Amino acid sequence: MIPFSDQPGPRRRSTPVLMVTLVVVNVLIFIYELSLDNALPRFIQAYGVVPYEITSGRDIPPTVPLPVYFTLITSMFLHGGVLHVAGNMLFLWVFGDNVEDTLGHFGFLLFYVVAGILAGLSQVLIDPSAQ
């Protein structure tokens, strides 16, 4: 029942370079997360979406040298465990190549970033004061 691949058809227009790059980057960042041990909660707090930071425009400790709104992008590469990253990367692997082939490299990147930002903003909308 778990999809490992699909049948994209004989007319693939391009190689899914961006999709493969995103999978590799996500996995490498997750491996980095695993290496943080006790510092992981601070890393997640700093680079994850914290609704209060987005609604107030203020970075609460632990701070990062980036505008607070940049966490809407950095949070897209953070994962809460092996099953979380494995599930996300499995579905990106299975379906991302077709989306990238249909939208093109730039369109796929734009779709990925916009979808991630909307996911972060959804979290903010659910509880704007969460810290």
Side-chain angles (χ1 to χ4, degrees):
M1 289 303 193
I2 298 175
F4 291 107
S5 66
D6 63 349
Q7 302 286 332
R11 296 194 180 122
R12 181 174 300 282
R13 296 179 302 183
S14 64
T15 304
V17 176
L18 189 55
M19 182 273 300
V20 171
T21 301
L22 286 170
V23 169
V24 168
V25 168
N26 273 283
V27 169
L28 289 175
I29 290 173
F30 183 70
I31 291 169
Y32 176 71
E33 284 181 43
L34 293 176
S35 75
L36 292 176
D37 199 30
N38 293 334
L40 180 60
R42 292 182 56 80
F43 181 76
I44 298 295
Q45 179 80 19
Y47 290 98
V49 171
V50 178
Y52 176 78
E53 291 180 344
I54 302 299
T55 57
S56 70
R58 293 180 344 154
D59 197 3
I60 58 176
T63 61
V64 293
L66 302 167
V68 68
Y69 303 106
F70 198 69
T71 60
L72 290 167
I73 294 174
T74 58
S75 66
M76 294 188 303
F77 299 94
L78 303 179
H79 294 88
V82 174
L83 289 177
H84 184 202
V85 73
N88 283 3
M89 294 309 102
L90 173 65
F91 279 85
L92 181 57
W93 183 263
V94 172
F95 301 110
D97 60 338
N98 296 330
V99 176
E100 184 173 356
D101 193 51
T102 300
L103 299 179
H105 303 303
F106 179 75
F108 178 67
L109 180 61
L110 185 63
F111 176 75
Y112 186 86
V113 170
V114 168
I117 289 171
L118 289 174
L121 290 174
S122 297
Q123 179 183 352
V124 172
L125 186 63
I126 289 170
D127 188 359
S129 63
Q131 294 186 23

